[in-house]
């Protein structure tokens, strides 16, 4: 009879009043966040310039027959795994021609590139970058050529040709590196494989050299930039919450 009476006794629910140190409470642990997934939000801007263009301007600016003057400004916006990139530049150059006819060529204009990069270094706390990306390029410029042809009857004949308003577009596959050097100062490089140039407005002669692209011709054209940047933070980096098992 005693055992039957005990069987009818129901345990009281666990409350703050009757809980003691020996009671065990099961608490569901929150799930750990996936550290490989980054939320899409704006973290920072970087603004910089191409040191190769600056170096060529210093060395070649005063050379009459092989002249170059240019400036390129580079920027990107950090959205986590993805970076939106913009390059804006100006270029003026002149050099002698030695392709059949002799003479000289010059052009001057502006260009820009826009695109997106994907950072492959997912867990770097300093947000260093090894990236691949795509670019769309556009240039507006004018160009002129003085061609000297030697004729057996008339001697040297000079032709003055000018394309006053030329536009060009192209695509790029890019890869490169961005490394934090000190505080918000960064350095890096970008290697470019340029392709599919399309030119309009070259009515006097086929456009020879495209600012921001290079020599106009068939196939691929390679480019390289060595850059410095200053980073401007916008939002604090959200680090993953860590849970310790006890």
């Amino acid at each position: 009879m005693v055992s039957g009476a005990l069987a009818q006794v129901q345990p009281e629910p666990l409350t703050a009043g009757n809980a003691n140190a020996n009671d065990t409470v099961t608490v569901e642990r929150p799930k750990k966040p996936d550290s490989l997934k980054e939320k899409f939000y704006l973290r920072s801007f970087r603004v910089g310039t191409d040191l190769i263009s600056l170096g060529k301007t210093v060395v070649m600016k005063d050379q009459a027959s092989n002249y170059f003057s240019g400036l390129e400004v580079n920027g990107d916006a950090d959205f986590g795994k993805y970076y939106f990139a913009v390059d804006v530049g100006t270029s003026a150059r002149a050099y002698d021609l030695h392709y059949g006819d002799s003479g000289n060529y010059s052009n001057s204009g502006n260009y820009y590139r826009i695109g997106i990069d994907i950072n492959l270094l997912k867990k770097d706390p300093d947000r260093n970058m090894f990236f691949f990306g795509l670019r769309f390029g556009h240039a507006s410029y004018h160009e002129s050529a003085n061609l000297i042809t030697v004729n057996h009857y008339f001697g040297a004949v000079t032709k003055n040709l000018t394309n006053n308003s030329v536009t060009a577009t192209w695509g790029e596959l890019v890869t490169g590196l961005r490394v934090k050097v000190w505080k918000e100062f960064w350095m890096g490089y970008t290697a470019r494989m340029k392709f599919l140039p399309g030119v309009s407005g070259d009515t006097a002669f086929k456009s020879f050299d495209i600012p921001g692209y290079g020599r106009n011709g068939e196939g691929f054209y390679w480019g390289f930039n060595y850059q410095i940047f200053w980073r401007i933070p916008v939002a604090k980096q959200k680090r993953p919450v860590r849970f310790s098992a006890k």
Side-chain angles (χ1 to χ4, degrees), residues 127-203:
R127 304 201 61 76
N128 294 318
M129 289 182 67
F130 174 65
F131 65 91
F132 286 92
L134 293 170
R135 296 288 187 276
F136 168 80
H138 180 276
S140 300
Y141 58 103
H142 63 84
E143 60 186 348
S144 62
N146 297 318
L147 303 179
I148 303 174
T149 303
V150 178
N151 188 287
H152 292 288
Y153 300 99
F154 303 102
V157 178
T158 302
K159 293 182 180 179
N160 300 314
L161 305 175
T162 302
N163 290 325
N164 288 316
S165 181
V166 190
T167 59
T169 59
W170 66 92
E172 294 183 3
L173 290 174
V174 300
T175 186
L177 194 67
R178 305 275 188 271
V179 178
K180 182 179 180 180
V181 178
W182 174 76
K183 292 187 177 181
E184 304 300 338
F185 179 68
W186 293 64
M187 300 184 74
Y189 69 85
T190 303
R192 308 176 184 276
M193 184 179 71
K194 310 176 186 183
F195 54 90
L196 295 178
V199 181
S200 61
D202 51 346
T203 55

Side-chain angles (χ1 to χ4, degrees), residues 38 43-44 46 78 83 119 121-129 178-186 231 237 239:
E38 290 189 287
R43 293 160 172 80
S44 66
R46 278 189 302 223
D78 178 3
Y83 287 70
N119 186 14
L121 301 181
K122 299 179 181 179
K123 294 185 177 181
D124 194 308
D126 289 328
R127 304 201 61 76
N128 294 318
M129 289 182 67
R178 305 275 188 271
V179 178
K180 182 179 180 180
V181 178
W182 174 76
K183 292 187 177 181
E184 304 300 338
F185 179 68
W186 293 64
R231 182 176 180 268
Q237 182 177 345
R239 299 182 181 273

Side-chain angles (χ1 to χ4, degrees), residues 9-69:
V9 177
Q10 299 296 326
E12 296 181 3
L14 182 62
T15 63
N18 60 14
N20 56 53
N22 295 324
D23 293 326
T24 301
V25 179
T26 302
V27 179
E28 184 179 354
R29 293 182 180 179
K31 295 181 180 180
K32 295 182 180 180
D34 187 352
S35 60
L36 295 180
K37 294 182 179 180
E38 290 189 287
K39 292 185 178 180
F40 186 85
Y41 67 94
L42 179 61
R43 293 160 172 80
S44 66
F45 293 100
R46 278 189 302 223
V47 179
T49 189
D50 176 32
L51 295 181
I52 294 180
S53 294
L54 292 178
K56 290 171 60 178
T57 298
V58 172
V59 173
M60 303 172 61
K61 189 173 182 179
D62 296 329
Q63 298 181 14
S65 61
N66 193 18
Y67 169 90
F68 177 85
S69 177

Side-chain angles (χ1 to χ4, degrees), residues 54-113:
L54 292 178
K56 290 171 60 178
T57 298
V58 172
V59 173
M60 303 172 61
K61 189 173 182 179
D62 296 329
Q63 298 181 14
S65 61
N66 193 18
Y67 169 90
F68 177 85
S69 177
L71 174 66
E72 182 173 299
V73 177
N74 312 111
D76 62 22
D78 178 3
F79 284 88
K81 181 180 179 181
Y82 301 99
Y83 287 70
F84 293 95
V86 178
D87 306 320
V88 179
T90 180
S91 172
R93 66 180 311 153
Y95 46 82
D96 293 332
L97 298 175
H98 303 285
Y99 299 93
D101 298 336
S102 59
N104 55 74
Y105 169 87
S106 64
N107 69 10
S108 178
N110 305 306
Y111 62 91
Y112 66 83
R113 310 182 195 96

